[in-house]
Amino acid sequence: MLGSHVGLGGKEQFLGSVKEALSYKAETFMVYTGAPQNTRRKDLSEMRIPEAAALMAENGITKFVVHAPYIVNLGNTVKPDAFDFAVEFLREELRRTAEMGSDTMVLHPGAHVGEGEDAGIQSIIKGINQILDADTKAHIALETMAGKGSELGTSFEQLARIYDGVAHNNKIRLCLDTCHLNDAGYPVKDDFEGVLRELERYFPLNQIACIHLNDSKNEQGAHKDRHENIGFGTIGFDRLCAITKMTEFADTPIILETPYVPKEGEKERAFSPYRQEIAMLRSGVFNPDLIEIIRREAEA
Ligand code: FE
Ligand code: FE
Ligand code: ZN
């Protein structure tokens, strides 16, 4: 099922998120429960969840995923306060995820901030073990990371080490980000089947709870993490489109996190590309004029 990241805020709150997804003709979506770069969150009672759920039901949206804010870091062994805050916040965020009606919270595993891979991974395991218990309702989907800075979770082997250290790891899932995999060094464009076979050395494919479908501005192995619009980057349309057609992922939320399109000659991100990118992926045919069309339709 295909969808995109959508916003959450203003008066309409989560109801607005569902409306945004429907405006893209999406079958699913991903949402942050507030601004992704901070941890201020509204009370669930103010988020218009019942209305959002009704609108989803009316339109056949059966699944969506929540993304945890990317500023919390379970890998931080330098600042105990930051680690404790991350644990506390993520426990609440998992509860919010379930209350909103999702069973998956995507999480960037963490960054070791200079203390090394082993220290970071042990810290992440310790944190997740404080977050999950037998009664936790939603899953944590660990996202594959590009490897910029001291990010962890850049290889399946690292993710498996985290998984193996977690007591309630029946609550752990994976989120594959195609841009991040490419930037981490996996041959997404040339041999995605091989990437999945490599993954299967550590995890069965049914552990994949979410796919982030992004093209990349950078070459395989660049460790950069800069997303590009579908078909305009180094992975290319054919591979990304083929992933959306794989029967293995027919029931998996496939989420676009591609960049907004700036106005002609400007830099600032202005227009959502998602309605047009979703339509193009469904059609199976790349349109080299897509960026122009997005601008034209947005300005009309
Ligand atoms: Fe992410
Ligand atoms: Fe992602
Ligand atoms: Zn990214």
Side-chain angles (χ1 to χ4, degrees):
M1 43 179 76
L2 195 53
S4 74
H5 154 70
V6 297
L8 189 156
K11 256 182 62 182
E12 294 220 293
Q13 287 289 305
F14 188 41
L15 176 62
S17 311
V18 177
K19 286 182 180 174
E20 184 182 344
L22 293 173
S23 79
Y24 303 147
K25 298 198 164 42
E27 302 156 290
T28 184
F29 62 92
M30 179 173 80
V31 72
Y32 289 85
T33 63
Q37 70 277 16
N38 71 44
T39 51
R40 282 191 303 275
R41 292 296 180 263
K42 261 200 174 7
D43 196 86
L44 285 168
S45 64
E46 296 170 44
M47 287 177 60
R48 306 187 66 175
I49 294 168
E51 291 161 277
L55 188 60
M56 278 189 267
E58 244 168 68
N59 288 279
I61 295 186
T62 55
K63 263 191 203 180
F64 67 95
V65 298
V66 167
H67 198 309
Y70 45 71
I71 52 146
V72 296
N73 181 10
L74 292 176
N76 195 332
T77 53
V78 180
K79 289 193 189 139
D81 285 359
F83 173 84
D84 290 341
F85 177 79
V87 167
E88 211 44 54
F89 181 86
L90 290 172
R91 201 186 286 133
E92 266 302 291
E93 191 76 340
L94 262 182
R95 192 180 67 81
R96 272 193 291 269
T97 298
E99 293 277 323
M100 288 169 73
S102 172
D103 66 359
T104 303
M105 180 189 79
V106 175
L107 176 70
H108 295 181
H112 65 68
V113 294
E115 298 302 291
E117 183 180 322
D118 288 338
I121 285 178
Q122 288 316 312
S123 178
I124 292 165
I125 291 169
K126 182 174 128 195
I128 295 177
N129 277 330
Q130 292 178 29
I131 293 167
L132 293 178
D133 59 49
D135 299 323
T136 306
K137 299 242 163 29
H139 302 96
I140 293 177
L142 299 171
E143 181 164 352
T144 60
M145 302 307 292
K148 69 172 183 313
S150 65
E151 271 174 0
L152 296 163
T154 59
S155 68
F156 302 141
E157 190 264 334
Q158 281 185 356
L159 293 169
R161 281 170 63 194
I162 297 170
Y163 181 91
D164 289 341
V166 171
H168 295 284
N169 60 12
N170 59 322
K171 313 276 182 186
I172 299 285
R173 296 287 184 271
L174 297 176
C175 171
L176 302 191
D177 185 311
T178 55
C179 167
H180 298 177
L181 285 172
N182 172 81
D183 287 20
Y186 289 100
V188 174
K189 178 192 172 79
D190 296 328
D191 186 19
F192 188 67
E193 291 295 328
V195 176
L196 292 182
R197 277 198 304 276
E198 169 69 15
L199 173 71
E200 282 183 300
R201 293 175 54 203
Y202 302 96
F203 296 96
L205 290 188
N206 66 13
Q207 290 289 98
I208 301 169
C210 180
I211 292 175
H212 287 170
L213 196 80
N214 303 304
D215 216 325
S216 174
K217 286 192 196 294
N218 292 99
E219 296 301 323
Q220 184 186 328
H223 302 297
K224 290 278 204 230
D225 190 2
R226 294 194 60 214
H227 302 188
E228 181 56 283
N229 293 103
I230 301 295
F232 293 88
T234 58
I235 300 172
F237 181 80
D238 290 351
R239 169 60 64 207
L240 294 168
C241 185
I243 292 172
T244 69
K245 314 286 184 202
M246 289 177 71
T247 51
E248 292 92 327
F249 303 132
D251 285 322
T252 308
I254 298 179
I255 303 293
L256 301 167
E257 304 173 297
T258 48
Y260 272 40
V261 173
K263 291 181 188 167
E264 184 78 60
E266 293 186 15
K267 276 220 147 91
E268 202 188 333
R269 296 169 175 197
F271 309 127
S272 165
Y274 301 132
R275 182 171 55 82
Q276 292 88 347
E277 284 183 327
I278 287 170
M280 179 171 73
L281 285 162
R282 286 201 183 118
S283 80
V285 183
F286 180 58
N287 184 344
D289 300 322
L290 195 79
I291 302 298
E292 279 314 311
I293 291 168
I294 290 167
R295 279 195 190 114
R296 212 180 309 136
E297 291 183 355
E299 282 168 338

